[in-house]
Amino acid sequence: MPDATHTHGARDSHVLEATHPLDGLTPSEIDRVRAALEAAGELLPDTRFPLQVLLDPAKAAVAAWRPGVPLGRRVLSTLLDTASGRVREAVVALDDDRVESVEVLPTAEHPYGQPPYLFEEYELVDAVVKADAGWRRAMEARGLHDLDRALVVPLAPGQFGEVDEVGKRMMRSLTFMPPNEGDNPWSFPVEGLVLMVDVTGQRVVKLVDERQVPLPVLDANYDDASVGERRTSLKPLEITMPEGPSFSVDGSEVIWEQWRFRVGFSMREGLVLHQLGWQDGDELRPVLHRASVPEMVVPYGDTTETRRWISYFDAGEYNLGKNANALSLGCDCLGAIHYFDAHLAADTGEAITIPRAVCMHEEDAGILWKHRELDGETVHGRRSRRLVISYFATVGNYDYGFFWYLYLDGSIQFEAKATGIVFCGADLPGLDLPHATEIAPALYAPIHQHIFCARLDFDVDGTDNYVDQVDLVRIPMGDANPWGNAFGHRRDRVREASGVSGNGSLGRTWHIGSSSRTNAVGRPTEYQLIPEARATLMADPGSTVAARATFATKHLWVTSQQDDDLYPAGRYPNQHAGGAGLPASVTAGGDVDGADLVVWHAFGLTHIPRPEDWPIMPVDLTGFWVKPYGFLDRNPALDVPDAMDECAHEHGGHEHGHGASHDSGGDERGGHEGHHGHDGEEHVAIR
């Protein structure tokens, strides 16, 4: 039955015991993993846990599992011995707390690759840089003396095959110098000063002092005191659900209307949706076995020494899930909210919890469908709503929101929201630079990209799926098109593991369908992926970032499903020479025509920064749609409650502030139906 016990505010899920093979890791499991490794003698005093993930069981094992049967959960922990730099992968089987395997990784050998960074390493790099005599001299030469106030930013260094960086755990460091304690530091870059730090050796191995530029002189703050009095013109907008939300939650399992799925969370990927299916009468029909956004790359187009190396992999280098926010009611989510905690391993392997890491709620989504009949009076229509499952991660200066939307008509939408503070350099004011724009006097933001990659393990009515590329086709004027108005579409089957590009002018979409099931008109049941088909990697194909982020060079990739093939740039893109992830998966081949396959979709933003992005950037959006295309035999939302009964007959006026208001000319200014709470205030009722 739907959970109607809260009509506003929040309810939290604290899942402390796993009851299903796909549940997220629990605190006790994380602590048991550490205890098992310690008992096996695998933990030294300096051993740290830069990565820990639940290894998803095979689909067949999940399908065969029944309550009461052991869960068969296995956990992979990446272990870093900080004093020596040795890296191992250890797998612990939780059914009997047994260390199943331990493998030393060849991180000192080509193609290298390092685990994500530890939180404690950020503090380490800060201390190493501030103790370095060369850095202190460079700062003093710029007239910067209060060095304790400096913000030393430790950053993933990229990979350029340089002798002093390959095979070692390294970070580059830039410096920002706010003029006063408490100032926003990101607007005061110390231009031209870059340090390479050997994290394991705890020393600076290279200092580049490219040039000296004065710090910008700016009012860079955006707190209340700096902004001043807030506007008072916006009237309150409140959302209530008098009968409670329409979803129910049982542990990690969610039921909302026809949708059924499980909420998961990974230290690396963040939010993961498992076993997303559609209840079609008595049958639960699978759509997606697993959906996540396991990687993103942020390559910069700046050729200066200060930034030419920047190409952050925010999941693979920094762990998106580990950087998730604890969300706040009324700020991140509005309405009747259900929160899920996230549990993950701290640097030292003990369990830590990010409370309210995932937010779930319903939103009104406008018109679902509508028609006015020929009599001009009768109107039929329904209002749409969507279920929102989201989280936010903050990685340094940028904040990213990851939002999955489920709709009443069977559609799925994903939206990434980029906000935060753009990463800037300094130069003389008024310059027209080829790779950066001046967003405030003497403050220059480099052109850069944010390219995400979604991993969509489709099981459309089963695992025997195919992918068709569908393009619009012009038909030349002639016998087949005598009046020149005709056009059609064509399908091309993706028959081998490969990558393909989108084409907006052809309306290109990709259809993922069942090889064995057909609909009422005899066609295969399908879902249609509708891309934005905008950003792909702008870096040259011969660049190191193109080798490391090959996933960003095409909009869509199709590979054979492999249980441990989760990351489009490989498990360890940090300082990797390239070729891991999707390039290796494509080379491995496997059946993708009528088989168990995975669709990887790259999408994103190319950011040419503007003054309106400073000092903090309004949200920029990117994403994609996945819509049923013959998966259902007709519109599945015909039975949604009627939204038009009242508005179809609304020809009279209403009091201002309740429903529609009219000026003296009769022009409608409102349109929301409201109700009054016990305090006399108006609330919008979402039906």
Side-chain angles (χ1 to χ4, degrees):
M1 293 294 291
D3 178 356
T5 58
H6 67 298
T7 60
H8 63 281
R11 164 166 288 189
D12 295 13
S13 276
H14 307 291
V15 180
L16 301 178
E17 180 181 357
T19 60
H20 188 275
L22 297 178
D23 284 345
L25 285 171
T26 66
S28 64
E29 289 179 321
I30 294 166
D31 289 338
R32 284 164 50 201
V33 167
R34 192 188 192 287
L37 291 169
E38 188 168 38
E42 297 294 343
L43 300 187
L44 302 175
D46 67 319
T47 301
R48 298 294 184 264
F49 289 69
L51 181 64
Q52 185 179 88
V53 294
L54 179 71
L55 295 175
D56 287 359
K59 290 183 183 180
V62 176
W65 180 84
R66 296 293 180 269
V69 175
L71 297 176
R73 287 157 70 82
R74 300 163 61 243
V75 178
L76 183 145
S77 298
T78 303
L79 306 177
L80 169 66
D81 299 334
T82 58
S84 65
R86 180 180 64 156
V87 179
R88 291 166 290 152
E89 284 186 340
V91 176
V92 173
L94 286 173
D95 282 350
D96 53 5
D97 290 356
R98 174 174 50 89
V99 178
E100 198 173 86
S101 64
V102 179
E103 178 186 0
V104 178
L105 299 184
T107 55
E109 303 172 13
H110 191 275
Y112 317 109
Q114 286 284 331
Y117 291 112
L118 304 163
F119 283 175
E120 66 183 49
E121 288 175 323
Y122 303 153
E123 299 177 4
L124 169 66
V125 171
D126 178 84
V128 168
V129 169
K130 288 183 176 177
D132 183 73
W135 178 81
R136 299 183 75 86
R137 285 194 298 269
M139 295 291 284
E140 295 280 351
R142 289 167 166 79
L144 305 174
H145 305 293
D146 190 0
L147 301 185
D148 289 339
R149 197 171 64 244
L151 172 65
V152 171
V153 183
L155 300 165
Q159 222 281 20
F160 298 90
E162 298 172 11
V163 174
D164 58 357
E165 66 182 39
V166 297
K168 303 174 184 177
R169 191 164 178 82
M170 311 294 289
M171 296 188 89
R172 296 186 204 265
S173 178
L174 300 179
T175 305
F176 294 77
M177 190 66 179
N180 302 295
E181 191 70 32
D183 279 346
N184 169 22
W186 300 103
S187 291
F188 303 100
V190 179
E191 183 65 32
L193 182 60
V194 188
L195 288 82
M196 180 71 88
V197 177
D198 180 340
V199 179
T200 305
Q202 301 186 21
R203 64 190 182 94
V204 173
V205 298
K206 183 195 296 184
L207 184 150
V208 176
D209 195 347
E210 186 179 31
R211 61 195 180 114
Q212 294 187 17
V213 175
L215 290 179
V217 179
L218 297 168
D219 177 6
N221 298 326
Y222 51 87
D223 59 345
D224 287 349
S226 302
V227 172
E229 186 176 349
R230 299 188 188 187
R231 70 181 73 175
T232 59
S233 54
L234 285 172
K235 306 303 181 185
L237 189 159
E238 299 186 15
I239 299 171
T240 64
M241 303 185 73
E243 299 178 21
S246 306
F247 54 77
S248 64
V249 180
D250 182 7
S252 67
E253 185 180 34
V254 177
I255 298 175
W256 180 72
E257 297 303 296
Q258 274 66 48
W259 289 109
R260 309 288 188 271
F261 62 96
R262 290 185 175 275
V263 174
F265 197 88
S266 161
M267 177 179 184
R268 170 72 169 269
E269 301 165 87
L271 175 61
V272 181
L273 300 184
H274 296 283
Q275 294 185 311
L276 185 66
W278 180 269
Q279 189 71 46
D280 191 1
D282 295 331
E283 181 186 10
L284 180 59
R285 298 172 63 188
V287 177
L288 282 160
H289 179 72
R290 193 180 194 277
S292 68
V293 181
E295 193 56 271
M296 60 176 294
V297 65
V298 188
Y300 277 53
D302 194 341
T303 58
T304 64
E305 184 63 30
T306 316
R307 285 168 293 276
R308 53 93 182 164
W309 45 271
I310 294 179
S311 54
Y312 308 128
F313 291 73
D314 282 344
E317 293 172 341
Y318 299 106
N319 279 326
L320 276 172
K322 191 175 181 180
N323 287 278
N325 294 186
L327 302 176
S328 300
L329 183 65
C331 176
D332 299 290
C333 306
L334 289 174
I337 308 302
H338 197 103
Y339 290 103
F340 298 87
D341 295 339
H343 308 294
L344 44 88
D347 288 353
T348 51
E350 292 90 353
I352 58 175
T353 295
I354 302 174
R356 296 186 168 186
V358 175
C359 165
M360 184 174 70
H361 67 287
E362 293 172 88
E363 290 180 345
D364 180 84
I367 295 296
L368 175 58
W369 58 266
K370 177 179 177 177
H371 179 61
R372 188 179 71 175
E373 301 293 352
L374 294 177
D375 61 14
E377 295 290 333
T378 306
V379 179
H380 298 286
R382 306 290 188 267
R383 288 199 67 79
S384 179
R385 75 170 70 178
R386 62 190 185 187
L387 184 68
V388 186
I389 313 102
S390 66
Y391 86 104
F392 252 93
T394 300
V395 185
N397 55 302
Y398 263 111
D399 301 77
Y400 298 101
F402 298 82
F403 286 70
W404 291 94
Y405 303 122
L406 304 180
Y407 290 85
L408 297 170
D409 66 349
S411 296
I412 304 164
Q413 182 189 7
F414 177 81
E415 192 170 60
K417 302 183 179 185
T419 181
I421 302 177
V422 291
F423 202 70
C424 292
D427 212 320
L428 299 176
L431 299 179
D432 186 10
L433 300 181
H435 311 299
T437 55
E438 189 174 18
I439 62 172
L443 188 70
Y444 291 82
I447 297 171
H448 60 282
Q449 296 185 287
H450 305 260
I451 302 180
F452 304 82
C453 187
R455 182 183 185 273
L456 305 171
D457 183 355
F458 279 99
D459 281 352
V460 178
D461 278 328
T463 58
D464 58 338
N465 287 176
Y466 61 82
V467 178
D468 279 352
Q469 181 170 285
V470 181
D471 291 340
L472 297 175
V473 176
R474 287 191 175 91
I475 300 174
M477 205 163 180
D479 291 342
N481 186 13
W483 297 280
N485 65 306
F487 62 94
H489 68 280
R490 61 173 288 175
R491 285 178 175 250
D492 293 296
R493 180 66 50 90
V494 178
R495 300 194 181 278
E496 297 180 348
S498 57
V500 293
S501 296
N503 190 325
S505 66
L506 298 180
R508 178 168 293 168
T509 59
W510 293 282
H511 290 222
I512 301 90
S514 170
S515 295
S516 58
R517 182 158 179 167
T518 57
N519 56 27
V521 294
R523 302 289 184 180
T525 57
E526 294 181 336
Y527 259 78
Q528 173 191 43
L529 193 154
I530 305 172
E532 292 176 336
R534 293 191 294 173
T536 53
L537 191 70
M538 292 299 295
D540 189 88
S543 64
T544 62
V545 66
R548 299 172 63 220
T550 305
F551 71 86
T553 64
K554 304 284 186 182
H555 290 115
L556 194 92
W557 301 80
V558 183
T559 64
S560 176
Q561 195 278 335
Q562 303 295 327
D563 292 329
D564 196 30
D565 186 10
L566 297 179
Y567 310 115
R571 185 173 288 159
Y572 303 112
N574 187 11
Q575 295 184 254
H576 198 280
L582 277 173
S585 301
V586 168
T587 299
D591 194 0
V592 299
D593 184 3
D596 196 358
L597 56 82
V598 174
V599 168
W600 312 73
H601 177 40
F603 59 97
L605 306 162
T606 299
H607 192 184
I608 304 175
R610 58 199 177 119
E612 291 86 349
D613 292 327
W614 182 86
I616 190 163
M617 173 183 159
V619 162
D620 208 349
L621 305 175
T622 182
F624 59 90
W625 283 84
V626 179
K627 292 190 173 186
Y629 192 96
F631 182 78
L632 302 163
D633 290 340
R634 64 174 187 168
N635 180 349
L638 296 176
D639 60 349
V640 171
D642 196 341
M644 299 298 167
D645 280 346
E646 296 178 16
C647 63
H649 302 290
E650 189 180 283
H651 299 296
H654 293 270
E655 291 183 9
H656 186 63
H658 186 94
S661 63
H662 304 266
D663 65 8
S664 57
D667 183 27
E668 291 192 4
R669 305 291 188 189
H672 294 293
E673 183 188 354
H675 76 274
H676 292 282
H678 68 276
D679 54 2
E681 295 182 357
E682 184 179 343
H683 303 272
V684 175
I686 305 300
R687 293 183 176 271

